[in-house]
Amino acid sequence: MKIYKYDTYDKMSKAAADIVAKQLKEKPDSVICFPSGDSPTGMLTHLVDCANSGKIDLSQCFFVGLDEWVGMDQNDFGSCKHYLHANFFSKLNIAPDHITLFDAKADDLEAECEKMNAFIKSKGGLDMMIVGIGMNGHLGLNEPGTPFDLYAHLSELDPLTVEVGQKYFQQETELTHGITLGLKHLQEAKIPVLIASGIKKAPIIHEALQGLVSTEVPASILQNIKPAIILLDEDAGSELEHGA
């Protein structure tokens, strides 16, 4: 794992976008997983600008969504699908068959997990998997206690995830379960990337990256993933011990 800290959120976001751009130049048909949330917005904005100015070509790339709240789809403000379409897909001319997102309204969610696993496997795995980190150390919706060896799966949401998740919605919303790529996907991704910003993330970043590796802090698995790249703004990395 390599940790990089940047003075500002924008510099961190540009660095994340540059990593994606470099990957696309080396392999135009890369399979890349994007998260939703606050941290990736700047990265997606930079990528949209680069694509629309002709600096990068996204037409051959395959995009995979990291997770979704069960029971929601693109029409639900606050859903992961809504976020990715609003901040990325709607601003670009990407073929629909190059976008694979969880159907969290599917009648058979277990089958939906298997479908996602099969798609990723058929493409030879994820070339890049970008994740944020939750206040409880979750990656995607891999909540505390989640085994490290799972692929896509259903997840019962941790109370802190339910509480913090309300910020994405315009009114209080019942959240109970999620559907998510697993930590096994992260371990097998050719380039695993964590992005985090803001002073609120500083304590969990310290615990995840310099504490004990434990399923109680899912993000701690990153310590065991040699190619992992950690991108932090100054605030998020402010509690890391000297030398990180």
Side-chain angles (χ1 to χ4, degrees), residues 204-225:
I204 193 62
I205 284 292
H206 173 260
E207 187 176 0
L209 303 185
Q210 295 184 328
L212 294 175
V213 176
S214 165
T215 57
E216 290 308 306
V217 183
S220 65
I221 188 63
L222 288 160
Q223 295 184 48
N224 292 342
I225 304 178

Side-chain angles (χ1 to χ4, degrees), residues 22-244:
K22 182 175 182 289
Q23 173 64 26
L24 291 174
K25 287 176 181 176
E26 292 177 359
K27 187 183 177 189
D29 61 345
S30 290
V31 183
I32 299 178
C33 169
F34 279 155
S36 57
D38 295 330
S39 293
T41 304
M43 173 193 70
L44 296 179
T45 299
H46 280 293
L47 286 173
V48 168
D49 290 344
C50 287
N52 287 334
S53 64
K55 293 178 181 176
I56 59 173
D57 178 12
L58 300 174
S59 64
Q60 297 179 59
C61 187
F62 291 89
F63 297 98
V64 174
L66 176 60
D67 53 18
E68 186 58 272
W69 310 107
V70 166
M72 297 190 186
D73 63 18
Q74 186 179 337
N75 296 319
D76 294 296
F77 185 91
S79 70
C80 304
K81 272 188 177 181
H82 182 277
Y83 170 90
L84 287 173
H85 278 280
N87 290 281
F88 192 68
F89 298 131
S90 68
K91 301 179 180 184
L92 300 163
N93 186 26
I94 296 173
D97 62 352
H98 280 235
I99 301 171
T100 303
L101 307 177
F102 283 111
D103 178 3
K105 286 188 173 180
D107 292 333
D108 188 341
L109 293 172
E110 294 289 352
E112 188 67 16
C113 290
E114 290 306 314
K115 188 190 303 182
M116 181 65 86
N117 290 336
F119 173 78
I120 292 172
K121 185 176 181 180
S122 74
K123 293 295 180 183
L126 293 168
D127 292 293
M128 183 175 292
M129 183 171 175
I130 303 172
V131 296
I133 184 172
M135 299 294 289
N136 59 5
H138 74 201
L139 299 176
L141 290 173
N142 292 278
E143 301 286 39
T146 301
F148 289 157
D149 60 352
L150 293 186
Y151 288 101
H153 61 97
L154 293 176
S155 172
E156 183 175 351
L157 300 180
D158 183 76
L160 185 56
T161 298
V162 173
E163 178 186 339
V164 174
Q166 297 300 324
K167 69 180 179 180
Y168 300 118
F169 302 93
Q170 295 172 319
Q171 63 278 326
E172 189 168 343
T173 302
E174 183 180 11
L175 303 172
T176 62
H177 291 80
I179 186 169
T180 183
L181 295 188
L183 297 172
K184 192 68 172 175
H185 282 123
L186 188 69
Q187 294 170 76
E188 292 181 354
K190 296 175 183 69
I191 305 177
V193 180
L194 170 72
I195 54 176
S197 62
I199 197 69
K200 289 182 178 180
K201 295 292 177 69
I204 193 62
I205 284 292
H206 173 260
E207 187 176 0
L209 303 185
Q210 295 184 328
L212 294 175
V213 176
S214 165
T215 57
E216 290 308 306
V217 183
S220 65
I221 188 63
L222 288 160
Q223 295 184 48
N224 292 342
I225 304 178
K226 190 173 181 180
I229 297 170
I230 316 297
L231 305 178
L232 309 171
D233 69 4
E234 193 67 35
D235 285 341
S238 61
E239 293 192 19
L240 290 176
E241 295 171 9
H242 182 70

